[in-house]
Structures are given as structure tokens and as C-alpha cells.
Amino acid sequence: MKEAERISRLGTETAFNVSAEAGAFAALGNKMYPFHLGDMNIKTPANIIEAAVKALNDGKTGYCNNAGIPQLREALAEDINASHGTQYSMDNVSIQPGGKPVIGKFIMALMNPGDEVIYPNPGYPIYESQIEFNGGKAAPYGFVEGALNFAIDIDMIENSITRQTKALILNDMQNPTGAECSMVELEKLAELALKHDLYVLCDEAYFDVRYDGPGRSFVSIPGMADRCVILYTFSKKFAMTGWRLGAAVGPKNIIEVISKLNVNHESCSNHFIQYAAIEAIKGPQMEARKILDTLRLRRDTAAGLLNSIKGVKCFKPKGTFYLYPNITEAAQKIWARNYEEFRKNALQRTGVSICSRAHFGRQFEGEREWYIRLAYSGIDVAEIKEGLAKFKAFLEG
Ligand code: PLP
């Protein structure tokens, strides 16, 4: 088979390869500690499951509106308005089979071949993949490691804007760093978006996976709702990763285009699940809060243990379920020419399965610091303790 030329530009999410490798390692009878993937070992709240079963029994098994059922679109618009101070109605919402499809659809809706899109690196690898697959130029921006957090390298963004720049991707509460933008950063980005007439994809996959204080969205800044599309997902907040349900929320004209892409791609998102999603939003929130409590304890345990390792420095993010420690000093003691060797070595010798900076975009020339990413959404506290004790022994030799 000679595949189409565009396939050579399609990237992937290499964390899934790590997952397969770790699975094979465990299948041989080895003890494995899964820190590699942002999947969850927490059960979806019972009221949501019951609502899905009821919808199935009620016959919600046919096609539905390609933008989603009106009741869910209204419920989501109201929910987002309450936390973002926006004025969305159901016309601003297009239901999607997950948050991920919003990335490609946003790019297809707005970017012409040859246009540039600025995106975070390290960052969720699908941005780079979809920009390039659709014939655009992927312009990366990095982060600066501060005393308490990673900050967006605003200068780098400013310097990479050209007349061809069409859009910016912002993932506040970021994967992999866990970083939250300061208000100063958000305002500066808003200024740049206005000055250069940029559309912004606000990937808010972790907006509600927040352990301290209320959320603050880029979209809430005056003038931004007109140029932003929010990537919303049910995956993380309600432990529904495998259900595949999310939404694009933004200006009506862009949302209409995105829904037209739905007609072409999947007709509509899974019908009966949309009734469960209404229950997720409008039903009791106690279980969602328990999910957060579980994740908070895991974060505290894992960050504490990582910081106890000589030569490792780990921020404790206010949200997401990722940790992104700087392991530069500790890694020097381990024989490894590159990240992959380090990762494989750690898996073979300790069973701890991780991702590294290399799984989150092409590295910049001259990068000296070493980072790994640990997801704690799929591993219990006891296993975190056991696994990271072995990891500590491995690194401290
Ligand atoms: N955006 C970010 C930053 C993510 O980390 C993820 C999943 O890990 C997604 C989007 C997509 O999630 P989903 O398709 O499950 O909604």
C-alpha cells in the first residue's frame, strides 16, 4: 500500500505506545506501576451510569441531532456560563465524541494550508499532529520553570507571530506540566490575540480538575469569548474517559462549521450517553467531589515522595492529575543517553512506567533540563507509595 502523502504529517500520542509496552511487561508477570497514561481507575458515578442505562431502555438508541441533543447543549451552556461569566446558549455548543475531536475540528474550521498555529511544547501531542496533518505550520512555544510553577514563554509567542499566524492554542491547567496561568499571563495573551486577530483554542480538559479555589478561564476576559473555542470534556471531571463525550463551545458561526464536520465524520455523538451527561451536569455533585478528593490525596502523596528523592524537584500543581518533575540532577547518575533509555531502564528495574518530556512534542535545540511526567489518575495511593519507593532507590542508587 502506498499511503496518502498527508499521512506522513500525521503524528500520534506516543503515551499509548508506552501503555502497550507497560502492559506487555505486566503480562509477563512483572509488577508494574502505571504512571504513564492520563486514564482513570476511578468508577464513573452511579447516578450517571443509571441515567445512561435508563436512556438505553427508553430507546435513545437512534441517531440524534449532529450538534447534540438540545437539552444537553442548553445544560452545558448554563453550566459554563455559571463558571465563566459568559452568555452562551445552546447555539454556542456542539457536542463531540470526546474533547480530543475539538482539536482537529477547530483547526479544520479556521486554518488554511500554510497558516501558522502557535501551540504549547511540551504539550498535548495532538495539537502538533493536527496542525501539520491539515497542512499548517506548527509554531511551538515553551515554558519557563519558576520557583513555584511553569510560566508560558510569552516572548517566544510574541516572536513567532507572523502575518500567517491564525490561531493560538492555550491549555491552561496544562498537560504535562500541571501549570496554571497567572492573570498577568492570561491578560498578556488576550492582548496578543486582539492585536494580531488570533483565534484561540482554549483546551479546558482540566478546568474542573482543580483542588484549590475557583477556576478562571481565558474566555472570561472581555473580548475573548468572540474569538475562543473551548474544548470541554466529560472525561476527567466525571471519570468518563472511555464514554467518549465532550463539546466545542464558542462563537455560533464557528460552532456551526464544527457541527457540519460532525455530519461528515460521525453523524452525531453517542445518543444515550448524552442523557447521562445531563445527569452528570445537573445531578448531585457529591461523587464528582469525591473523585477530586481521591486525586488530591494521590497528588500530595506522589509529589511528597518525588521531592524526597535527591536531585528531583517537583511542583505541586493546583489541578490536573499530572506531575512534571525536573530530574536533571538525579538522571545524571543513571546511565541513559536519552529519555527513552531512561524510561525503559526505569520500567525494567522498578516496574514504574512513566512518560517523559519526549512524549510531549519535539524538543527544542539546546534543552538541558530533564523532565518526566507522572499521571496519578490510574494508580491508588498504596501503589504510588510502593512504586515511588522503588523509583527513589533506583535514582539514588
Ligand atoms: N486535552 C488535553 C490537554 C488532554 O490531556 C486530553 C486527554 O488526555 C484531552 C484534551 C482529550 O481528552 P478526551 O478526548 O478524553 O476528552
Side-chain angles (χ1 to χ4, degrees):
M1 179 186 96
K2 181 144 174 38
E3 59 193 25
E5 181 270 330
R6 72 177 78 83
I7 299 300
S8 67
R9 292 184 264 117
L10 186 65
T12 187
E13 198 174 338
T14 45
F16 282 103
N17 301 345
V18 177
S19 188
E21 190 183 324
F25 176 81
L28 292 174
N30 297 305
K31 178 72 197 161
M32 190 272 290
Y33 303 90
F35 286 101
H36 46 260
L37 203 60
D39 203 357
M40 303 180 80
N41 66 344
I42 300 172
K43 212 173 152 199
T44 306
N47 59 319
I48 300 176
I49 295 175
E50 279 157 23
V53 172
K54 179 173 185 311
L56 272 173
N57 284 323
D58 288 349
K60 307 296 184 191
T61 49
Y63 295 122
C64 65
N65 188 311
N66 45 71
I69 59 172
Q71 307 92 301
L72 175 59
R73 293 165 68 199
E74 266 164 25
L76 192 54
E78 274 171 28
D79 189 58
I80 291 181
N81 288 343
S83 55
H84 290 51
T86 42
Q87 306 285 322
Y88 294 128
S89 72
M90 65 172 261
D91 293 338
N92 300 105
V93 178
S94 179
I95 300 300
Q96 301 294 320
K100 189 184 254 184
V102 179
I103 300 169
K105 285 176 182 160
F106 169 85
I107 287 164
M108 270 187 272
L110 294 164
M111 185 198 77
N112 283 310
D115 283 347
E116 288 168 7
V117 177
I118 301 183
Y119 74 101
N121 179 352
Y124 194 51
I126 300 307
Y127 310 139
E128 196 173 77
S129 169
Q130 285 297 316
I131 298 164
E132 294 184 345
F133 179 65
N134 288 292
K137 183 166 170 262
Y141 64 85
F143 293 81
V144 183
E145 188 177 352
L148 292 171
N149 201 357
F150 291 91
I152 288 179
D153 190 339
I154 303 268
D155 290 344
M156 194 162 180
I157 293 186
E158 224 165 343
N159 291 335
S160 54
I161 294 175
T162 70
R163 291 171 70 175
Q164 244 50 56
T165 307
K166 195 65 181 258
L168 167 74
I169 297 179
L170 174 65
N171 176 209
D172 195 8
M173 308 294 275
Q174 211 242 355
N175 179 8
T177 61
E180 181 179 22
C181 289
S182 67
M183 203 57 212
V184 175
E185 277 172 277
L186 293 181
E187 277 168 1
K188 184 74 198 158
L189 291 173
E191 213 179 288
L192 289 175
L194 280 177
K195 182 171 168 197
H196 300 281
D197 193 19
L198 304 178
Y199 291 104
V200 183
L201 173 65
C202 290
D203 183 338
E204 297 194 348
Y206 301 96
F207 186 81
D208 291 311
V209 185
R210 170 184 294 277
Y211 309 116
D212 297 304
R216 192 185 48 202
S217 170
F218 183 68
V219 174
S220 311
I221 297 177
M224 287 306 106
D226 295 340
R227 54 181 66 247
C228 288
V229 172
I230 297 173
L231 178 158
Y232 178 92
T233 182
F234 290 87
S235 286
K236 321 285 178 177
K237 178 180 181 184
F238 301 110
M240 290 172 71
T241 51
W243 291 63
R244 309 311 302 136
L245 204 69
V249 182
K252 190 168 171 268
N253 54 351
I254 304 177
I255 292 305
E256 273 170 12
V257 175
I258 288 178
S259 298
K260 196 170 171 186
L261 288 167
N262 271 47
V263 181
N264 281 268
H265 288 182
E266 53 277 299
S267 294
C268 61
S269 300
N270 202 315
H271 189 172
F272 62 91
I273 288 175
Q274 296 186 42
Y275 290 88
I278 296 173
E279 174 65 20
I281 296 173
K282 292 191 150 182
Q285 297 299 306
M286 212 170 61
E287 292 300 315
R289 280 197 286 275
K290 271 196 209 154
I291 293 173
L292 271 185
D293 290 342
T294 302
L295 292 172
R296 183 188 293 107
L297 183 60
R298 292 181 187 182
R299 174 199 62 172
D300 293 347
T301 308
L305 287 167
L306 286 166
N307 278 320
S308 78
I309 302 174
K310 263 190 232 114
V312 172
K313 185 179 141 207
C314 183
F315 296 136
K316 199 165 90 172
K318 285 199 182 135
T320 76
F321 35 61
Y322 303 113
L323 296 170
Y324 195 65
N326 184 327
I327 59 155
T328 315
E329 244 177 75
Q332 275 163 4
K333 289 196 227 120
I334 307 296
W335 183 88
R337 277 171 302 189
N338 53 46
Y339 276 124
E340 271 305 87
E341 270 182 7
F342 177 85
R343 182 186 66 73
K344 283 176 190 285
N345 228 330
L347 177 65
Q348 293 298 327
R349 293 198 20 214
T350 68
V352 169
S353 181
I354 50 166
C355 281
S356 74
R357 191 277 176 250
H359 295 97
F360 299 96
R362 289 189 277 268
Q363 287 163 251
F364 295 107
E365 230 172 82
E367 263 185 40
R368 297 218 188 295
E369 305 292 301
W370 276 41
Y371 299 92
I372 53 172
R373 190 202 70 172
L374 292 92
Y376 51 84
S377 49
I379 180 163
D380 296 334
V381 164
E383 299 269 289
I384 289 175
K385 286 184 180 165
E386 194 177 294
L388 292 186
K390 291 183 186 173
F391 194 58
K392 179 178 164 82
F394 165 70
L395 284 176
E396 292 183 347

